[in-house]
Amino acid sequence: MSKKRLIIVGAVAAGASAAAKARRVNEDIEIVLFESGSYMSFANCGLPYYVGGEIANRDSLFVANPDVFKKRFQIDIRLNTEVTAISTERQEVTFVNADGQGGTLGYDSLILATGTVPIIPPIEGLDGPHIFFCRTVPEVDAIMQRLSAILPHDMEGMRQIQDGPLHDMEGTGVHGLVIGGGYIGLECAEQLMHRGIHTTVIEAMPQVMGPLDPEMTQPIKMALRDSGATLILNDAVERIEQQGERSQAILRSGRRVVFDVAIIGTGVRPNVKLAQSIGVDLGKTGAIAVDAQQRTSVPGVYAAGDNSEAIFLPTNTPVNIPLAGPANKEGRIAGNNAALDLLKDTDKKEKHWLTMKGVLGTSIARVCGVVAGGTGLTEKVAKRLDISVKAAYVLGLNHAGYYPGAHLMILKVVYDPADGRLLGAQAVGQDGVDKRLDVLATAILGGMTVEDLENLDLCYAPPFGSAKDIAIMSGFITANSRRGLSEGVSPMTLFEELNSETPPVLIDVRTTREYADGHLETAINIPLDEIRERMNEIPKDQPVIIHCQTGYRSYVAQQILQNNGWTNIRNLCGGYAFASRVLSMDAV
Ligand SMILES: Cc1cc2nc3c(=O)[nH]c(=O)nc-3n(C[C@H](O)[C@H](O)[C@H](O)COP(=O)(O)OP(=O)(O)OC[C@H]3O[C@@H](n4cnc5c(N)ncnc54)[C@H](O)[C@@H]3O)c2cc1C
């Protein structure tokens, strides 16, 4: 009797994971993996770092070796072969390879792991010679070829990668353009600058890193500027003209940017062409609708990875967030379940169906030495969905201040004010941003509340953290707010209120020296250690907002005042350090 066959379309994160898992589950099926590109399971997340030379060896981009994969897992891998059609009636796929040779192949189970296609911005002249995508190995090879032509070094000598700040590096006189200020666009910008290329980033939205709340992206903007990049927000490229060896982008605003190399990072959309052709249901996001076992609406057809939806845990609604972690997990689940479907009746193996619980969109990027990322719900998405949330900010150090190399980190947590459930977190800083985001992503997955954050028991020694870690501090602040002990206010609300007809009284409890070095307009300076003697200067019958440098001293002052009868005092989250950064938001 011939073996049953599982066909998988797409052989990168989801497809390759599905194939390997399917084989671990079922030895008795044929597994055929079709990939229209030339490489399977390559490290697309590593491509920007190869462009910049941080990943020096091209071979390290290939995560799985097709020969090993074939031998170890007995998987028939067909590279450079596109699946062009599917017949669910005959249960077969039609394929064609790069030489134009094709055929059909029957399946018993099918997994669509077709990923995404790039969103092509409507720019006249986009097909010009100096413009590239950075999504596949051949695309990156083309970028490298261009760099070797325009940089004044041979590829070996091309810009040594240094650990120091980027702005210490001399420029090459070569200009780069990145269209799109999302995670990938910014990673590419950083890497072009690693090569000594002066880079301009153009983003149509008013902020970079769209998934984050705008105020959390401010340090990224500052880092880009400090590294010598030009960032243009609220503008878009309309036309590109070639000018001899260089090109010129003409923006909606009329601005012109001359460049030698451009990378497009304007996002992706799910690749659902095949799915649609066989009547697979799409969800509201435009991606393939799947159940928790990765099954589509068409029997025997699974989908996994960037082409499909997943449940966003904070809201329990379907989303399509293209990220490698979920793609790998979904692939593993689809491979497991599809292989179980094909298990022989005579095989007494216990069937462990796997399910996908959901996603949080946990993501991170490093841009010019600054690291930023987020997990779960943001305030702006909550607002769009009309979900009532509260947010708090903590400014703290990544590890003990007395241990060398401590850096300031800004952490924002978003939670449900009704039950205290943690819904989201964002962080920006340097070392340790990843650790806090991962801790908080785990807390969200576990359904923890902000009161639980107070009880986190995290590892601590001076090089790694603080006894009162910033993640735990976020629990103190938010839980204190929920207990009615300390009401906080965000810098954005402060500025709104200061501009209103009845502005609050603003008290700065930092030292006179700190105040003299810079303060918020209208702030009255009453240093914390003078607060008991000077209480009478603070009105009881008007709203008061109190602040210090990062929020702790003003919290102490707030408690002293509340214990002495003040009822209308709010503490500025993140203090002057954060507010002054937010104030300079449009300065780039
Ligand atoms: C430059 C870059 C950096 C990234 N950085 C990160 C990061 O730091 N962190 C992170 O989490 N994610 C990152 N991502 C996203 C991550 O790479 C994707 O989420 C992940 O690769 C999705 O895997 P997938 O298998 O669903 O889709 P893909 O990786 O897109 O693979 C789908 C494959 O299917 C093939 N295919 C499609 N249709 C057919 C067909 N009809 N026949 C045959 N083959 C077909 C395509 O050729 C493609 O190779 C990055 C992506 C890029 C491009």
Side-chain angles (χ1 to χ4, degrees):
M1 203 173 78
S2 67
K3 286 184 172 181
K4 294 208 166 176
R5 184 181 297 130
L6 167 64
I7 288 183
I8 301 170
V9 188
V12 188
S17 296
K21 181 65 179 172
R23 175 56 77 220
R24 291 195 294 273
V25 167
N26 194 333
E27 272 289 315
D28 295 324
I29 50 174
E30 244 184 78
I31 303 175
V32 184
L33 191 51
F34 284 100
E35 170 55 55
S36 53
S38 326
Y39 303 97
M40 71 163 294
S41 196
F42 65 94
N44 33 16
C45 308
L47 297 178
Y49 301 93
Y50 176 61
V51 168
E54 241 177 287
I55 295 176
N57 182 359
R58 184 177 178 276
D59 288 346
S60 45
L61 295 173
F62 304 110
V63 182
N65 176 334
D67 294 332
V68 172
F69 211 73
K70 273 182 199 169
K71 198 158 191 276
R72 186 174 298 163
F73 296 112
Q74 296 287 297
I75 288 165
D76 178 357
I77 301 171
R78 309 209 185 170
L79 297 176
N80 299 307
T81 308
E82 184 182 351
V83 171
T84 52
I86 299 168
S87 163
T88 47
E89 221 173 74
R90 292 192 299 277
Q91 297 219 159
E92 68 178 25
V93 302
T94 305
F95 58 88
V96 59
N97 68 19
D99 300 328
Q101 289 161 344
T104 56
L105 192 67
Y107 66 83
D108 297 285
S109 208
L110 178 68
I111 299 176
L112 300 174
T114 48
T116 53
V117 287
I119 295 171
I120 313 276
I123 299 172
E124 197 185 313
L126 199 67
D127 53 355
H130 310 141
I131 306 154
F132 304 89
F133 285 92
C134 179
R135 302 183 66 245
T136 64
V137 175
E139 284 166 1
V140 163
D141 286 341
I143 295 175
M144 296 302 266
Q145 214 178 348
R146 177 67 185 155
L147 294 187
S148 70
I150 56 178
L151 283 172
H153 310 273
D154 59 28
M155 288 302 278
E156 283 307 307
M158 235 172 29
R159 191 66 34 207
Q160 293 297 306
I161 303 310
Q162 302 170 0
D163 285 338
L166 290 168
H167 55 267
D168 283 353
M169 299 169 69
E170 84 201 57
T172 54
V174 175
H175 285 252
L177 173 69
V178 171
I179 304 176
Y183 283 64
I184 294 173
L186 294 182
E187 283 178 349
C188 289
E190 179 191 62
Q191 295 301 321
L192 289 179
M193 287 191 285
H194 265 288
R195 296 284 190 195
I197 297 175
H198 178 82
T199 301
T200 299
V201 178
I202 299 174
E203 166 57 56
M205 304 298 286
Q207 70 167 88
V208 292
M209 283 202 178
L212 299 185
D213 283 327
E215 74 282 7
M216 296 301 285
T217 65
Q218 177 62 1
I220 294 285
K221 285 166 61 177
M222 291 162 92
L224 280 165
R225 185 192 57 198
D226 293 348
S227 300
T230 305
L231 175 63
I232 301 175
L233 296 174
N234 288 310
D235 209 345
V237 178
E238 280 193 333
R239 203 168 75 246
I240 293 176
E241 290 170 357
Q242 197 185 338
Q243 293 188 328
E245 280 307 297
R246 311 186 95 185
S247 289
Q248 180 172 232
I250 296 100
L251 313 195
R252 194 173 52 207
S253 60
R255 270 177 96 157
R256 287 165 183 260
V257 181
V258 174
F259 65 88
D260 302 284
V261 57
I263 298 180
I264 301 165
T266 43
V268 290
R269 59 183 169 77
N271 180 1
V272 294
K273 206 170 119 195
L274 278 179
Q276 271 181 308
S277 73
I278 55 169
V280 162
D281 285 349
L282 304 186
K284 277 195 182 136
T285 66
I288 300 172
V290 288
D291 67 10
Q293 296 189 335
Q294 299 299 140
R295 293 175 201 274
T296 70
S297 59
V298 172
V301 180
Y302 289 78
D306 285 0
N307 64 1
S308 45
E309 292 187 331
I311 294 297
F312 188 54
L313 294 169
T315 54
N316 205 27
T317 48
V319 286
N320 172 241
I321 305 179
L323 286 171
N328 274 287
K329 278 182 283 189
E330 290 159 12
R332 174 176 173 268
I333 292 167
N336 179 82
N337 295 345
L340 285 182
D341 280 344
L342 304 183
L343 217 53
K344 278 193 205 130
D345 292 340
T346 49
D347 194 328
K348 295 281 179 255
K349 210 169 163 183
E350 198 180 340
K351 291 189 175 181
H352 294 288
W353 301 99
L354 293 181
T355 54
M356 182 76 189
K357 188 166 179 176
V359 296
L360 293 170
T362 310
S363 52
I364 191 164
R366 188 200 62 203
V367 185
C368 303
V370 172
V371 180
T375 180
L377 194 62
T378 56
E379 259 195 305
K380 72 176 177 189
V381 170
K383 198 168 174 187
R384 198 169 67 221
L385 300 177
D386 206 16
I387 299 172
S388 163
V389 295
K390 264 190 113 167
Y393 304 86
V394 196
L395 263 72
L397 297 172
N398 60 322
H399 61 60
Y402 57 82
Y403 185 84
H407 299 292
L408 192 69
M409 186 186 301
I410 306 170
L411 176 64
K412 175 177 186 176
V413 289
V414 175
Y415 62 100
D416 182 337
D419 59 11
R421 193 164 61 98
L422 184 66
L423 299 173
Q426 296 160 66
V428 55
Q430 296 177 33
D431 290 347
V433 165
D434 53 341
K435 171 166 123 170
R436 275 54 179 216
L437 288 176
D438 283 344
V439 164
L440 295 172
T442 309
I444 299 171
L445 184 75
M448 285 169 63
T449 63
V450 293
E451 284 79 9
D452 291 323
L453 297 184
E454 289 184 300
N455 287 300
L456 288 176
D457 189 359
L458 305 177
C459 59
Y460 161 62
F464 306 105
S466 302
K468 277 190 276 189
D469 189 86
I470 186 165
I472 299 173
M473 289 297 294
S474 74
F476 291 163
I477 290 171
T478 45
N480 274 345
S481 167
R482 270 176 40 82
R483 293 181 190 116
L485 295 176
S486 173
E487 192 53 39
V489 63
S490 74
M492 288 75 70
T493 307
L494 167 77
F495 297 134
E496 257 169 46
E497 291 188 15
L498 286 177
N499 287 327
S500 70
E501 283 181 4
T502 50
V505 175
L506 185 58
I507 306 287
D508 181 342
V509 298
R510 296 176 303 156
T511 61
T512 46
R513 176 72 193 270
E514 287 174 289
Y515 182 82
D517 284 347
H519 59 263
L520 298 173
E521 212 184 327
T522 76
I524 301 162
N525 185 216
I526 306 180
L528 174 61
D529 292 333
E530 295 174 23
I531 203 116
R532 290 182 192 278
E533 297 89 68
R534 296 176 57 187
M535 275 181 190
N536 56 355
E537 293 175 35
I538 303 172
K540 268 190 173 158
D541 56 352
Q542 285 178 52
V544 175
I545 292 181
I546 198 156
H547 81 83
C548 61
Q549 186 65 13
T550 59
Y552 175 68
R553 281 175 288 169
S554 47
Y555 162 65
V556 174
Q558 181 190 36
Q559 299 309 300
I560 292 172
L561 291 167
Q562 283 178 183
N563 291 337
N564 282 280
W566 273 259
T567 55
N568 202 356
I569 298 200
R570 286 168 294 161
N571 185 16
L572 178 62
C573 274
Y576 178 75
F578 189 36
S580 54
R581 281 175 170 79
V582 173
L583 253 189
S584 61
M585 262 175 79
D586 299 318
V588 177

